[in-house]
Amino acid sequence: PDMTGDKIVDQIKSGHQRIPIIVVTALALIEDQKEIEEKDIDEYMTKPVEKNNLLHRINYFLNESDT
């Protein structure tokens, strides 16, 4: 609760291991999407999220890390 999403992303990305980040957000405005794209985020999805879409993206990043 003491950290914003931006701080969490920065903390994860500051580590040495490559960890994909999928952001799930209610922010769907064009301005919000541009701000999210400027961050070092691998994927973002707007709410409501369909379970199969989320699982597909998670599997994509899991398989990507195997190569």
Side-chain angles (χ1 to χ4, degrees):
D2 295 335
M3 293 182 83
T4 64
D6 290 341
K7 287 183 182 179
I8 292 170
V9 169
D10 290 342
Q11 187 173 29
I12 292 170
K13 294 294 185 174
S14 70
H16 299 288
Q17 186 177 9
R18 170 77 175 102
I19 300 174
I21 296 177
I22 301 173
V23 172
V24 177
T25 180
L27 304 175
L29 300 175
I30 296 297
E31 296 82 19
D32 297 325
Q33 291 177 4
K34 287 179 183 177
E35 184 178 332
I36 290 170
E37 289 171 356
E38 291 174 358
K39 309 229 179 287
D40 194 13
I41 294 172
D42 300 283
E43 182 78 34
Y44 74 93
M45 305 176 87
T46 55
K47 295 178 184 178
V49 174
E50 292 185 26
K51 178 182 171 182
N52 288 338
N53 289 343
L54 179 58
L55 292 174
H56 174 75
R57 298 312 297 160
I58 291 170
N59 283 325
Y60 170 80
F61 287 111
L62 289 174
N63 291 327
E64 183 182 69
S65 67
D66 290 340
T67 58

